Amino acid sequence: MRIAIVAESFLPLMNGVTHSILRVLEHLQERGDEVMVIAPSTSDTDVSSVEKGAYVHRLPSVPLAGYTNVRVALGGVNRVKRILADFSPDVVHLASPFVLGWRAVQAAHQLGIPTVAIYQTEVPSYAARYGVPFLENWAWNRVDNIHLLATRTLVPSTFALNQLRGRGILRVDMWRRGVDTARFNPAKRSTAWRSSVASDGHRIIGYVGRLAVEKQVEDLAVLADLPNTKLVIVGDGPQRAALEAQLPDAVFTGFLGGDALAEAVAGFDLFVHPGEFETFCQTIQEAMASGVPVVATGRGGPLDLVENSRTGWLYEPGNLSQLRAYVQDLMGDDAKRRAFATAATASVQGRTWPVLSADLVRHYTEVIASFSRENGPTELTSSKGPTS
């Protein structure tokens, strides 16, 4: 089939959205599908116009204030409409739509092309964290309008499913994320790497992710003085300098990818994730596949991934004393931590990207089959309508 993927963010920026798109592109390339990616432009001149067999159409963009490696595409609905009309896809895949995705869902609707929207980022809830809470209602209105217009919305977790259905968005189904269990594997654990970050033999508490306000990495300061432990932060972002000042004894590795990331994650004794706005949290799956138990906040995607008292612990959002207590529980009991680690690895087996990508293609096929190009989606789910 012919598939247009509209990416709110894409290479060279590597994040959860980009990672998912790349794994999907690999699967579609193996199938022999014709794929085009529409994405914001980049200042990086080394970025290829073809990625995993897909042509990448770059739209002019500007950097996001305060987060310069994130770019926002410019232009209106008509520009996206012309691009889609020229390519004539069977389906349009909207990857974490918000700005560019809003234009694309309108363009596809006007052209009579079915859309599959991937709800992956809880953008409205970021507003308060970034000091602009008055934008939250506007942002939710945008999210509502996108997903009400989409032919089908896919969400990665039970929390996200209930969240959207509670807002009157009913054409919603589940599509989880895959994990590369060959790359993220307990066998990648390296004594040499562990010694490089904790030469005194201390237990390693690790975090992997963007160093951005919404990730709440500063909450890990509550763990800084735990005896015989070393906090290791893997990732980069606009908050790095501030976090290095707040966590002076932690090791900051910067961004890691490929085998270096797999080695680091397998080298942790415990994985922690304090962010409250994760619709899924891919790094938790990668830690579990690597044989590392997890302590995470009990909201959003982690609710589906972490089983309390078996693969890790979920703490009440904002309850940092409980976070500390759960970390102490596992760091102080080697036998319990090993049991949790074994259960964590077992829990993610079978969630490979080929399996999940094949499931995504099933969703494509279903919306193409059911979509009427003359009449649009077969039923309306709410009286709300799109706004400019």
Side-chain angles (χ1 to χ4, degrees), residues 20 33 38 120 172 230 243 254 275 296 321 326 360:
S20 296
D33 296 313
I38 303 173
Q120 190 164 339
V172 186
K230 174 61 72 171
L243 290 168
S321 62
Y326 281 148
L360 177 63

Side-chain angles (χ1 to χ4, degrees), residues 256-287:
L256 297 178
D259 290 339
L261 176 60
E263 182 180 59
V265 175
F268 297 159
D269 293 295
L270 180 68
F271 183 87
V272 289
H273 200 289
E276 296 175 17
F277 305 119
E278 299 293 329
T279 59
F280 186 71
C281 201
Q282 178 68 9
T283 54
I284 284 180
Q285 270 203 148
E286 291 167 352

